[in-house]
Amino acid sequence: MTAIGTAELKRMFDAIATAIEADKDRLCQLDGVIGDADHGIAMALGFNAARDALAALDLAAIEPTALLNTAAKSFLNAVGASSGPLYATALMRAAAAVKGKATLAADDVIAMVQAMAQGIKDRGKAEIGEKTMIDAWQPAAEAAAAAHAAGKSLAESLQAALTAAERGAEATKDMIAAKGRSSRLGERSLGHIDPGAASAVTVIGAMRSSLN
């Protein structure tokens, strides 16, 4: 694997924005069943804002931490919904995890994924089984770390993360929502994939495809 610098991270955000935009309607439909039907719109606003902010940067003059913090700030400014603070925290934690690095090795990318998952978990005060995006993010981070520790390549480790995220999102069908607006539905939230977990799969998939 070649080292990942700011140009590669910018391409990652381009890929996420494109993937979320393509998935926006499905995410809104999922959210329409158990939420406000705006999750896809909020995620697209956030990642489009991040992409646009990064396009204005002099990539040769900054390190990954500054790029990730710029993405975090622009996401938060664009999204007032709950996903705004969650993803802003994720990206700020990612920035902290790679502080001082001019380029990122596989270790650093795995640390970044773990930091994002932990940031979302901490900010949302969510646990596995509560039908939230953490049901996709936490298994993804754990799978990536385990694959990397077993000597797998970055591409293989990110594929493991994606597979775990997909399983985690699918599992939310069988959960009763315990957080957010959908928690008001009680057992009526059964049988539906959590939109935040679904969008996490889209984000992680775009990261995998752009960083391998």
Side-chain angles (χ1 to χ4, degrees):
M1 182 201 79
T2 54
I4 292 167
T6 49
E8 288 75 23
L9 287 176
K10 179 187 174 295
R11 281 202 295 273
M12 179 188 82
F13 279 98
D14 292 344
I16 295 171
T18 298
I20 288 289
E21 190 66 41
D23 205 22
K24 180 171 68 176
D25 290 346
R26 181 183 75 100
L27 296 174
C28 285
Q29 286 167 1
L30 288 172
D31 196 30
V33 179
I34 60 174
D36 289 345
D38 64 351
H39 182 66
I41 294 167
M43 290 291 288
L45 279 172
F47 279 110
N48 286 342
R51 177 197 60 204
D52 294 346
L54 300 186
L57 296 178
D58 178 0
L59 297 179
I62 63 168
E63 292 188 338
T65 290
L67 182 145
L68 289 162
N69 277 327
T70 298
K73 183 178 179 182
S74 56
F75 197 110
L76 187 60
N77 287 343
V79 182
S82 58
S83 52
L86 290 169
Y87 271 94
T89 301
L91 294 169
M92 285 188 285
R93 293 285 186 89
V98 299
K99 190 166 184 173
K101 307 273 180 127
T103 57
L104 309 183
D107 283 2
D108 303 311
V109 175
I110 301 302
M112 193 172 75
V113 172
Q114 289 178 291
M116 290 178 74
Q118 191 63 46
I120 289 170
K121 186 174 182 179
D122 291 347
R123 184 65 195 245
K125 298 181 172 57
E127 299 292 340
I128 287 283
E130 292 183 331
K131 201 179 182 89
T132 72
M133 62 178 70
I134 207 63
D135 288 299
W137 268 108
Q138 185 172 323
E142 291 170 352
H148 180 64
K152 302 291 186 184
S153 67
L154 179 59
E156 290 169 326
S157 299
L158 292 176
Q159 180 58 52
L162 177 59
T163 300
E166 289 170 341
R167 277 200 304 266
E170 187 65 25
T172 64
K173 273 186 180 178
D174 300 321
M175 297 173 189
I176 295 173
K179 295 280 182 185
R181 290 192 176 96
S182 57
S183 63
R184 296 177 304 199
L185 296 174
E187 291 196 359
R188 283 183 293 154
S189 64
L190 279 170
H192 304 287
I193 290 176
D194 178 70
S199 64
V201 172
T202 305
V203 171
I204 293 162
M207 293 174 71
R208 178 196 61 81
S209 63
S210 63
L211 290 179
N212 60 29

